[in-house]
């Protein structure tokens, strides 16, 4: 749900209150000590490492600063695309899988690793909460401060953290579900954080994902096509593969979605201005979504 009418002060207090209710999930990213919420203002560990709750309601738990290419404009484009229903079939499949695993009285905790601006996690959470009496705890992390700031400003449904996936600020075995959607992974951290009977859900692009863009951006180069052999093998080395689902469909594009589509993906980073203009002038009518969902457990 959006937070258009919530003041920044209220937003900070609301977020801090939710974090305080779930202190057991956190650990200090510097010393790995236990953490507590102090005066609904800051997360402080037993060794006094301190991380403040921002005005927007997120917590920056990076132990050092990172620079990324992901900027505000890219995340705005992603939100426009997500809200158009672009990923609706994917979200529905993931939500149904989680719903069927839920126990009636269990407090389910979901971590989205590489959540960006939060729209996918929010959509999945809303679908699950429609079918579950106990509210779901959703936690989204991303190394991009721009992405998490955007998520926290827009959505009040989750705990949002700027964090390094290679050094996640969470205690062992805390999450029933770990999502990793079109994002790099850190399987050693996933193994540490997932509950003993938990499920890791990873979404990877297949050969034809956004192929209309790739055919123009990378025509004649090795990047024109995806290959997921290494990704699948690496997943199976770290988790027992319990299920695989293919998600393939066409999205019809209207004029308002062309530019956000071009700007939401890193595909354009390695191409020329000439090819960017070529895509814009093509007036694409459809785009291909071709994904695989991997389900794994310890």
């Amino acid at each position: 749900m959006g937070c258009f009418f919530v003041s920044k002060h209220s937003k900070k207090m609301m977020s801090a209150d939710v974090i305080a209710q779930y202190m057991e999930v956190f650990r200090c990213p510097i010393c790995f000590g236990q953490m507590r919420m102090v005066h609904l203002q800051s997360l402080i560990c037993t060794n006094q490492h301190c991380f403040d709750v921002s005005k927007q309601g997120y917590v920056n738990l990076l132990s050092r600063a990172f620079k990324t290419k992901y900027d505000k404009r890219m995340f705005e484009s992603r939100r426009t695309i997500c809200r158009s229903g672009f990923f609706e079939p994917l979200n529905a499949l993931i939500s149904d899988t989680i719903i069927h695993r839920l126990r009636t009285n269990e407090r389910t905790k979901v971590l989205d690793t590489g959540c960006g601006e939060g729209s996918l996690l929010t959509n999945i959470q809303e679908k699950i909460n429609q079918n579950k009496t106990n509210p779901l705890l959703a936690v989204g992390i991303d190394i991009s401060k721009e992405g998490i700031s955007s998520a926290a400003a827009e959505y009040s449904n989750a705990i949002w953290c700027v964090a390094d996936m290679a050094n996640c600020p969470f205690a062992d075995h805390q999450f029933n579900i770990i999502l990793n959607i079109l994002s790099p992974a850190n399987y050693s951290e996933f193994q540490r954080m997932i509950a003993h009977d938990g499920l890791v859900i990873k979404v990877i692009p297949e050969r034809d994902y956004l192929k209309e863009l790739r055919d123009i951006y990378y025509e004649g180069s090795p990047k024109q096509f995806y290959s997921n052999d290494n990704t699948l093998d690496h997943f199976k080395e770290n988790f027992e593969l319990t299920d695989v689902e293919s998600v393939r469909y066409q999205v019809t594009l209207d004029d308002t979605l062309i530019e956000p589509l071009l700007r939401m993906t890193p595909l354009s980073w390695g191409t020329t201005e000439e090819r960017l203009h070529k895509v814009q002038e093509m007036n694409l009518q459809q785009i291909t979504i071709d994904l695989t969902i991997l389900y794994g457990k310890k």
Side-chain angles (χ1 to χ4, degrees):
M1 70 188 84
C3 297
F4 301 106
F5 303 103
V6 179
S7 71
K8 286 186 177 180
H9 177 72
S10 299
K11 181 86 172 189
K12 177 177 179 177
M13 296 298 287
M14 288 168 55
S15 298
D17 184 59
V18 173
I19 293 169
Q21 293 176 45
Y22 292 95
M23 285 310 308
E24 74 275 7
V25 308
F26 289 93
R27 77 173 194 183
C28 178
I30 298 173
C31 68
F32 308 147
Q34 291 182 334
M35 306 193 79
R36 69 187 192 279
M37 177 64 67
V38 177
H39 304 309
L40 294 181
Q41 297 285 333
S42 305
L43 279 172
I44 299 179
C45 78
T46 51
N47 290 314
Q48 303 303 305
H49 298 124
C50 182
F51 304 88
D52 294 335
V53 181
S54 72
K55 291 180 180 179
Q56 292 91 344
Y58 68 87
V59 184
N60 188 336
L61 286 153
L62 289 178
S63 56
R64 62 185 179 91
F66 286 87
K67 286 187 177 181
T68 74
K69 290 185 177 181
Y70 296 88
D71 57 19
K72 183 177 180 180
R73 190 173 187 180
M74 173 177 277
F75 289 118
E76 288 174 347
S77 297
R78 286 192 178 185
R79 178 166 292 142
T80 298
I81 291 295
C82 290
R83 286 183 169 174
S84 74
F86 198 84
F87 292 107
E88 181 63 23
L90 173 68
N91 293 343
L93 279 173
I94 292 174
S95 302
D96 286 345
T97 296
I98 296 174
I99 289 166
H100 288 137
R101 286 180 58 88
L102 296 179
R103 300 184 181 93
T104 305
N105 298 319
E106 184 180 59
R107 184 174 66 175
T108 303
K109 293 177 282 189
V110 176
L111 174 66
D112 186 3
T113 56
C115 68
E117 46 69 48
S119 291
L120 293 182
L121 177 59
T122 296
N123 186 275
I124 290 168
Q125 183 189 27
E126 288 174 347
K127 291 180 186 302
I128 294 169
N129 282 343
Q130 290 170 5
N131 293 273
K132 178 177 167 59
T133 53
N134 292 333
L136 181 88
L137 174 67
V139 181
I141 66 169
D142 202 285
I143 203 167
S144 169
K145 184 178 176 181
E146 287 282 3
I148 291 298
S149 176
S150 178
E154 191 73 15
Y155 303 116
S156 61
N157 61 315
I159 294 174
W160 303 106
C161 303
V162 186
D164 181 5
M165 207 182 299
N167 180 29
C168 290
F170 304 112
D172 296 352
H173 315 307
Q174 287 298 314
F175 295 98
N176 308 95
I177 307 287
I178 292 180
L179 302 175
N180 185 238
I181 303 175
L182 298 173
S183 173
N186 188 293
Y187 293 140
S188 61
E189 282 291 79
F190 292 3
Q191 288 174 340
R192 181 183 64 78
M193 294 185 295
I194 195 71
H196 293 297
D197 60 348
L199 186 69
V200 175
I201 302 175
K202 181 170 179 64
V203 179
I204 58 177
E206 283 298 338
R207 179 183 177 90
D208 288 340
Y209 180 61
L210 304 182
K211 72 183 184 69
E212 293 82 359
L213 296 184
R214 298 186 70 86
D215 285 349
I216 298 168
Y217 287 160
Y218 298 118
E219 184 180 7
S221 80
K223 291 184 178 181
Q224 188 171 354
F225 304 105
Y226 282 111
S227 174
N228 283 322
D229 294 342
N230 292 338
T231 303
L232 179 58
D233 290 343
H234 192 35
F235 187 86
K236 288 169 21 179
E237 287 168 4
N238 287 275
F239 297 98
E240 178 187 344
L241 187 65
T242 60
D243 198 8
V244 178
E245 287 187 293
S246 295
V247 188
R248 184 184 171 97
Y249 55 93
Q250 297 276 328
V251 175
T252 300
L253 301 173
D254 60 39
D255 293 342
T256 64
L257 294 180
I258 299 294
E259 186 166 346
L261 175 63
L262 298 181
R263 297 195 178 280
M264 79 155 189
T265 169
L267 283 177
S268 61
W269 291 351
T271 192
T272 63
E273 285 296 321
E274 179 184 358
R275 292 194 176 188
L276 278 174
H277 290 310
K278 184 177 179 181
V279 176
Q280 291 172 317
E281 292 168 358
M282 280 184 62
N283 191 26
L284 284 176
Q285 299 296 310
Q286 286 189 321
I287 194 81
T288 301
I289 307 301
D290 186 17
L291 303 167
T292 292
I293 310 175
L294 309 177
Y295 299 94
K297 66 179 182 179
K298 284 189 175 184

